[in-house]
Each structure stands twice: as C-alpha cells, then as structure tokens.
Amino acid sequence: MRQEQFVARYQHEWQALERWLALRGESARRARRQVADNALNDEDIPQHYRRLCQQLALARKRGYSPQLVARLQVLMQQGHGLLYRTPSPHWQRALEFLFADFPQLVRSQARSMWAATALFAVPLLGSFLLVQWYPDFIHLLMDNREIAAMESMYDPSSPHLGRDSGTDWMMFGHYIMNNISIGLRTFASGLLAGVGTVLVLLFNGLTIGAVAGHLQHIGHGAPFWQFVAGHGAFELTAIVIAGGAGLQLGMKLLAPGRRRRIDALVDGGVIGARLCLGVAAMLLVAAFIEAFWSSIAEVPAWGKFSVAGVLWSVVPLWLWRGGRGSTHAD
C-alpha cells in the first residue's frame, strides 16, 4: 500500500486520538462522556491505541516518510503515558469530582435543573404567602400532632433550637438518613416518566413553604429562620439537583431520540447516579451544619445570618464556576 493510501485510510483515527489526547492530556479527569463532536469515548481508547501501534509498526516496515513515522511515534508515546500512568489517589479523585466534575455535570443538565428549581421554588413561595392570608391551609398538608410538634421545636421560649432533644451526633445520623432518603426518592421517582419527580418537588415545595409561612404567622419565625438559614443552602440546593437528575431521567425515557429507549435510559441513569453522588455529599455537609451549628441557640441572630449569607454565596458560586478552565470546561 502506498503511503498516500495508508494516510487516507487511517487519518481520521489519528485525528480522533489527537483530539482525545488534547482533552485528557492536561488533566486527570475520569468523566466518561463524549465531550466533543467525533471525540473518542474513554472506553474506546485501548482498542484505538493497539491499532495505532500496529499502524506504526507497518509504517516502519514499509519505509514510509520519517515525518509520518515521527507523528505516529509521538501519538503512541502520549497515549502510553495516559493509559499506563499511576492512578491518582482516591482522595484526589474525590476532590476533583466534587470541585470540578460535579459542578460541570450540573451545568450540563441546565434545562432540567432550571425546571426543577421552578417546580420547587414556585410552590414554596406560593404556599408561604398563602398561609399568611389563609392560615388554615397548613392543616391540608399536616395533621394537628405534626403541627404541634413543629411549633414546639421553634418555640422562642424553648432552650433547644430546631429540635426537642437528642445529642448532636444522634441528630447528625438522623439528618443524614432523612435528607439522603429524600434526595434519592426525588431522583428515583423520575423512572415514572418524570411524573414522580415533579410530584415530589411540588409536594416538598408546598410543605416547606407552608411550614415556614405558618411559623412566621404565629410569631415563631425568628428561631425558625435562624435554624434553617445555614444548612438550607446545601440542603435545598441538593433537593433541586436531585430533582433535575430525576427529570432528565424521565426525559430519556419519554424522548430517547434516535437511540433505543433502553440505551437512553441507561445513559440517563449513569448521569443521574453521578449527580446523586454529589447530592449525597451536599446533604452530608447540610446534616453536619444542621446538627452542630444550626441548633446552637446561644449564637446571636446576626451570627447565624452572617454565616448563612456566606454559605448561600459559596454554593451557587461553586456550581457556577467549579471546573471552569479545566479540560472539561463548559
């Protein structure tokens, strides 16, 4: 085979491998998604690397030009460096995921995230305002025992803030289980063609808004806001992200495009699972803040709200800027 024919046959493979190396060569990211048109998936690289080695051997055997051999040699060396390098420590990969890959993944599902935000925030605000005009609305969502317990938790005269009793560590475990179960339920209900996620978001928004509105209406608003202001930045945002993950899963089921429905659903499940990892981390942080900071009644209101302001600034900034400038930047 003449060199021109050899190049024409395999040129597209070399270019695809060069694009992959450009995307991966300066970072240790492990995101398994297609990042550019005609770019290779990470799982396809070993096969392409073996083909490149065979093509390099053929080029040398047939006496092709030094320029072509040098190009293939460089590709082979770069590919070997990436494929056989020492894996990053687990803690480093976890940090890379949390501070770069996860925010990028959230931004990549922007439509679902904005839809989840509306489905959660609009009912929350609406029910809060409705309770101010129609106080009995709270009874449509909660029974008298639940309302009484909630009022007791946020009674301004209570020595405890946001809970009746329990040690910090006991409540930390309780918050973890409760918060993560809500997040997973919000995501998993997306399998019901997204309808389940929509209902969960609406119900949570209505309930949280009605509770806040009721406590504000009866004069228990100050302790309530002091308690929820800090951990709410992570907790409420995590619920919205879990909702966005569930909505994109439902859309994959309803509108798979040109792919088979099962393939689209698997793709949505992979995206959702990675989003849920980040959501679980956010809810873990929220539970820690709720157990060890939010419940401290001795901290003055200005201290609680100052910390809350910082947290409510950090979380959106992290999701907006996290991972920008890396090889996977938006």
Side-chain angles (χ1 to χ4, degrees), residues 8 13 17 25 34 43 46 50-51 70 74 86 92 96-97 116 119 127 189 209 211 227 254 268 270 276 293 303:
E13 294 185 20
L17 188 57
Q34 193 164 327
E43 57 267 25
R50 289 191 295 269
R51 287 175 56 82
V74 169
T86 302
Q92 182 177 338
E96 288 173 349
F97 172 75
L119 289 168
S127 60
S189 56
V211 167
F227 179 76
L254 290 174
V270 170
C276 282
W293 167 256

Side-chain angles (χ1 to χ4, degrees), residues 73-280:
Q73 178 73 30
V74 169
L75 276 177
M76 186 271 291
Q77 292 173 344
Q78 292 177 344
H80 183 276
L82 283 177
L83 285 171
Y84 298 103
R85 64 186 171 188
T86 302
S88 302
H90 291 299
W91 64 266
Q92 182 177 338
R93 280 180 278 172
L95 290 178
E96 288 173 349
F97 172 75
L98 289 175
F99 287 99
D101 294 344
F102 176 65
Q104 288 177 339
L105 191 58
V106 171
R107 295 195 299 268
S108 74
Q109 305 300 316
R111 291 184 180 179
S112 297
M113 296 302 162
W114 284 116
T117 301
L119 289 168
F120 180 73
V122 172
L124 188 152
L125 180 60
S127 60
F128 177 87
L129 296 175
L130 182 59
V131 170
Q132 310 309 308
W133 299 322
Y134 180 59
D136 288 341
F137 178 71
I138 187 68
H139 294 281
L140 299 178
L141 301 174
M142 305 175 69
D143 59 36
N144 291 332
R145 180 181 57 82
E146 292 173 325
I147 295 173
M150 176 186 62
E151 292 175 352
S152 174
M153 289 170 57
Y154 299 103
D155 189 333
S157 63
S158 173
H160 302 285
L161 184 59
R163 65 194 196 206
D164 293 327
S165 61
T167 66
D168 290 345
W169 284 105
M170 181 187 301
M171 297 308 298
F172 180 47
H174 169 74
Y175 294 144
I176 289 175
M177 295 299 296
N178 181 68
N179 294 348
I180 291 181
S181 67
I182 292 174
L184 292 178
R185 184 164 61 248
T186 304
F187 164 64
S189 56
L191 287 170
L192 301 174
V195 176
T197 295
V198 170
L199 293 177
V200 171
L201 287 170
L202 290 173
F203 177 77
N204 276 284
L206 280 171
T207 303
I208 294 173
V211 167
H214 175 72
L215 293 172
Q216 182 71 33
H217 182 73
I218 65 173
H220 291 191
F224 172 76
W225 294 118
Q226 290 178 46
F227 179 76
V228 303
H231 64 267
F234 283 94
E235 184 175 329
L236 299 184
T237 306
I239 291 174
V240 168
I241 294 175
L247 291 178
Q248 67 85 27
L249 186 63
M251 287 304 300
K252 291 284 195 288
L253 184 63
L254 290 174
R258 296 184 177 181
R259 292 179 295 174
R260 293 189 306 165
R261 197 174 302 276
I262 185 63
D263 293 335
L265 192 59
V266 168
D267 180 54
V270 170
I271 294 173
R274 297 185 70 234
L275 285 169
C276 282
L277 283 176
V279 166

